[in-house]
Amino acid sequence: MIKEFRFNFANINPLKNKAPACKIELNGTQIFAGNVESTIVLQAESKQSNTLRIHFENKTGADTIVDEENNIIQDLSFELKNLVIDNVDVKHLIWRSKYIADRSVIDSCLFFGPRGFWEFSFDLPILKWFLKTNNTINKNDPDWEKDYNYYKEAWDKLSKIQTR
Amino acid sequence: MGQIKQDTDKITKIAWTLMLASAQNKLDVPGEYLWNIPTSADFDEIRGKSWGVYSSGNCIKDKQMIDYTNTVNLNKYLRDPWIVKKYEEYFPIWLNECPRFNFSGLDDFKYSCFSQGSQEYFLNFYMQHREKRFRVLKGEYWWHMEVWKNLGLQWAYIEDDDIKPNDVVIISFPFARIGDEHPQQKNVIDQCEKLGVPVMLDFIYLPNTTYDKLQIDLTPTCIESLSFSMSKTFPVANARVAIRMTRKKMHDPMQISNDENVSNRLASGLGFECMQNFKIDYMVSKYLEEQKHWCALLGLTPTKVVHFAFGDAYTQNGRSYKKRFFSDFNDQQNRYNLGPLFANKNLLHSLGYHDKI
């Protein structure tokens, strides 16, 4: 099934002659490669269980510029601000991700500083996964499945009706 | 007779469907349709507002009436210095024409005054009696209590204290929460009559009562004023078309504006047009069978107001997420507004919700 992915990035920090670039993969298949922009929207074939990766590939040691006291004064970097899958903002669950750099794995990291990749796993339907996962973590929404089913049934039925 | 089993699952499905249809512009009559209008079709938005489908007292959005009001040329009334007077004089005639109502003593309420919605009269009533203690039965229109609280006026529920000489009483008839005469109404009026406590009867839901013959006794002299409005009857609520009838001529801001002939002519004109073209019980004649149908289908109990039914609280049974009323004084969660179901008959029929399966 084809789903839409909307990535919103912030604090995109280029150097004088170099912009941060990324490669995005879904389940090991490349779906984007290019410079990081504030919004990137993609359509991609998805499965029931999925792994999304954003690789920060063009970062080198020379892209972090420090002063005499070793303070960073310029750095090729960017941040993932939010992620919308199939029109559902995954909101706080975006933090259930990790950043894998050359020598470390950083949990809940949306900052693309070191060379490496960000990884996020989710299931479809995304809304159902979101509600279930949220309740598993926070235990604050016991009615999620019942209400999800009401919403889905209403949505499915109305999808056959024309807008007035 | 066995107790009716409520089909809460179907009630809930319809609520989700109508709220989502509102967001997707798929209702039978587009526009400002349901209280608690969703701003998007997102799950959270629909979930938080779905129960609002049943929660208002709003009128039935009857397409035929909306189509008619769309044709009314209001500008001519803006230039008509007599329209407010015509509206005021015609209202009691229109009211008396209805064979469902049998008033005793209505002729004693000689003074009619246009009111910009019932709320304008309520505010004038509050000002007139600002030194007294306001009294209502539990389940009364929440707006009173909300305003009294915020203005710092004295008030108490009738159930919480005896009626005393310095009190004034407001009763909606049919009563707001139950859609029928409050069982304590007669007793309360008898007490007020003995004590000389002024009473205002709020008849906002009267046009939609389904009684074949309703006896309305207005002879107790404690009943000083009557409040009528078209807001819960016809889809003109935002035009604020209402009227007050009193035994004595009042001298409050509303009456002064009326005497000065600066009352709202657009609202009066629209109200006059509605009265000229529709009977006061138009909605009852048209929707009584629909009320019976939906109540049988959903396991709700019809009230004596055609667009209301009574059932288990819709704020329970999975409707607890983000549950809130506009006011904490609103405890009408057992009263279901069936108007959105009536008005969306075609949509609900096409989705398989209108008919028994």
Side-chain angles (χ1 to χ4, degrees):
Chain A
M1 53 201 135
I2 305 286
K3 296 295 174 192
E4 184 182 277
F5 297 81
R6 178 180 292 268
F7 302 86
N8 289 311
F9 295 100
N11 299 320
I12 302 168
N13 293 311
L15 300 179
K16 191 174 179 184
N17 297 312
K18 187 175 182 181
C22 71
K23 180 178 80 178
I24 302 176
E25 287 178 356
L26 182 65
N27 303 321
T29 301
Q30 179 178 312
I31 57 174
F32 176 84
N35 286 348
V36 177
E37 295 171 15
S38 55
T39 299
I40 295 174
V41 181
L42 304 168
Q43 309 274 338
E45 180 70 29
S46 311
K47 300 189 290 191
Q48 188 173 351
S49 294
N50 302 276
T51 300
L52 193 60
R53 284 181 176 173
I54 304 173
H55 295 264
F56 187 15
E57 290 203 315
N58 68 337
K59 180 74 179 275
T60 67
D63 295 330
T64 302
I65 300 166
V66 296
D67 62 14
E68 292 171 352
E69 294 175 344
N70 233 19
N71 297 315
I72 296 173
I73 54 173
Q74 262 193 303
D75 189 23
L76 190 74
S77 63
F78 60 97
E79 290 174 26
L80 179 61
K81 193 174 166 189
N82 72 336
L83 172 61
V84 179
I85 303 172
D86 199 19
N87 292 316
V88 175
D89 189 336
V90 300
K91 296 180 184 169
H92 56 284
L93 296 188
I94 199 172
W95 295 100
R96 288 176 60 83
S97 59
K98 57 190 173 186
Y99 194 91
I100 297 119
D102 286 345
R103 287 188 295 273
S104 61
V105 176
I106 309 165
D107 287 328
S108 305
C109 176
L110 305 181
F111 175 68
F112 290 69
R115 183 185 177 89
F117 65 90
W118 175 84
E119 184 176 285
F120 177 70
S121 296
F122 62 93
D123 293 341
L124 293 178
I126 189 66
L127 177 61
K128 188 174 186 180
W129 172 85
F130 175 87
L131 295 169
K132 182 180 181 181
T133 308
N134 176 62
N135 188 53
T136 302
I137 298 166
N138 297 317
K139 303 198 184 324
N140 63 352
D141 191 7
D143 295 330
W144 74 268
E145 189 162 20
K146 191 166 60 174
D147 282 357
Y148 169 77
N149 288 333
Y150 284 128
Y151 182 70
K152 184 174 185 309
E153 182 172 338
W155 192 279
D156 290 346
K157 278 179 177 280
L158 287 168
S159 67
K160 296 166 191 152
I161 303 287
Q162 294 291 315
T163 298
R164 305 292 174 184
Chain B
M1 197 171 78
Q3 194 169 358
I4 303 169
K5 187 172 178 348
Q6 180 168 320
D7 190 345
T8 300
D9 185 55
K10 191 164 192 171
I11 289 168
T12 310
K13 284 178 179 174
I14 290 171
W16 279 83
T17 301
L18 289 182
M19 197 50 76
L20 187 59
S22 175
Q24 296 180 342
N25 196 19
K26 291 179 177 176
L27 293 169
D28 287 341
V29 184
E32 184 187 353
Y33 210 90
L34 303 167
W35 188 83
N36 238 347
I37 302 157
T39 56
S40 78
D42 290 350
F43 175 81
D44 277 348
E45 180 71 4
I46 302 303
R47 186 190 214 190
K49 293 183 175 175
S50 63
W51 63 270
V53 166
Y54 301 112
S55 70
S56 85
N58 291 352
C59 74
I60 303 160
K61 302 295 189 290
D62 177 77
K63 188 173 185 309
Q64 190 181 340
M65 268 219 79
I66 291 172
D67 288 346
Y68 174 74
T69 55
N70 284 342
T71 67
V72 175
N73 175 12
L74 291 176
N75 281 335
K76 72 177 180 185
Y77 293 116
L78 194 59
R79 296 184 295 273
D80 181 351
W82 309 111
I83 184 58
V84 177
K85 188 171 169 53
K86 276 195 268 188
Y87 165 81
E88 291 168 345
E89 287 179 353
Y90 191 61
F91 184 85
I93 296 167
W94 184 65
L95 179 66
N96 261 323
E97 279 175 353
C98 182
R100 293 178 191 276
F101 310 140
N102 190 5
F103 289 101
S104 301
L106 182 64
D107 291 345
D108 293 337
F109 293 79
K110 293 186 179 69
Y111 299 92
S112 295
C113 181
F114 169 83
S115 175
Q116 190 122 286
S118 296
Q119 292 173 349
E120 186 186 14
Y121 174 40
F122 295 161
L123 291 174
N124 278 263
F125 188 80
Y126 304 160
M127 279 191 277
Q128 182 193 352
H129 296 295
R130 61 193 177 277
E131 303 298 333
K132 298 199 171 186
R133 182 175 64 156
F134 296 96
R135 308 297 304 275
V136 286
L137 290 154
K138 288 179 179 173
E140 186 54 271
Y141 180 36
W142 56 267
W143 196 85
H144 298 300
M145 294 79 97
E146 192 70 36
V147 173
W148 296 334
K149 182 189 79 172
N150 286 296
L151 290 181
L153 297 175
Q154 299 176 75
W155 73 277
Y157 288 118
I158 291 170
E159 291 89 338
D160 292 344
D161 191 15
D162 292 338
I163 292 173
K164 293 178 179 164
N166 193 45
D167 290 346
V168 284
V169 168
I170 298 174
I171 307 178
S172 54
F173 178 26
F175 191 67
R177 183 168 63 184
I178 61 174
D180 199 351
E181 180 177 336
H182 193 289
Q184 291 300 313
Q185 178 180 304
K186 187 171 185 317
N187 184 38
V188 169
I189 290 174
D190 286 348
Q191 287 181 62
C192 291
E193 187 72 348
K194 280 180 197 160
L195 294 168
V197 166
V199 175
M200 178 223 289
L201 288 183
D202 173 11
F203 282 128
I204 196 160
Y205 293 117
L206 186 70
N208 277 9
T209 49
T210 61
Y211 283 101
D212 288 333
K213 205 73 181 170
L214 180 62
Q215 297 291 330
I216 304 168
D217 182 10
L218 301 176
T219 56
T221 54
C222 65
I223 304 171
E224 292 188 349
S225 60
L226 316 175
S227 177
F228 296 90
S229 168
M230 290 193 184
S231 296
K232 302 293 192 270
T233 312
F234 297 149
V236 296
N238 291 82
R240 322 303 289 139
V241 185
I243 197 164
R244 171 184 68 190
M245 295 174 70
T246 51
R247 291 180 188 278
K248 296 175 185 169
K249 177 150 183 174
M250 309 299 291
H251 299 283
D252 55 5
M254 202 170 93
Q255 186 65 55
I256 293 167
S257 296
N258 193 284
D259 291 346
E260 197 188 359
N261 199 7
V262 294
S263 292
N264 190 325
R265 293 178 184 174
L266 300 177
S268 301
L270 183 59
F272 188 67
E273 287 272 355
C274 288
M275 290 191 290
Q276 292 282 312
N277 290 280
F278 295 90
K279 291 182 177 173
I280 195 168
D281 63 343
Y282 165 78
M283 294 292 185
V284 179
S285 301
K286 188 165 181 178
Y287 292 105
L288 182 57
E289 290 307 311
E290 283 294 307
Q291 183 197 33
K292 290 176 185 169
H293 170 84
W294 280 109
C295 285
L297 194 66
L298 302 176
L300 298 171
T301 305
T303 73
K304 289 295 182 184
V305 171
V306 74
H307 63 294
F308 290 155
F310 216 70
D312 297 338
Y314 43 72
T315 44
Q316 306 304 319
N317 304 310
R319 304 267 51 76
S320 56
Y321 184 82
K322 287 186 178 175
K323 86 173 178 189
R324 57 172 165 63
F325 281 106
F326 185 78
S327 166
D328 290 339
F329 294 109
N330 191 338
D331 65 345
Q332 295 163 350
Q333 63 270 17
N334 294 97
R335 189 193 71 186
Y336 287 68
N337 188 335
L338 302 178
L341 281 58
F342 300 167
N344 287 290
K345 182 176 178 177
N346 292 339
L347 174 68
L348 294 171
H349 179 73
S350 66
L351 298 175
Y353 286 130
H354 184 264
D355 303 313
K356 285 184 180 171
I357 298 170

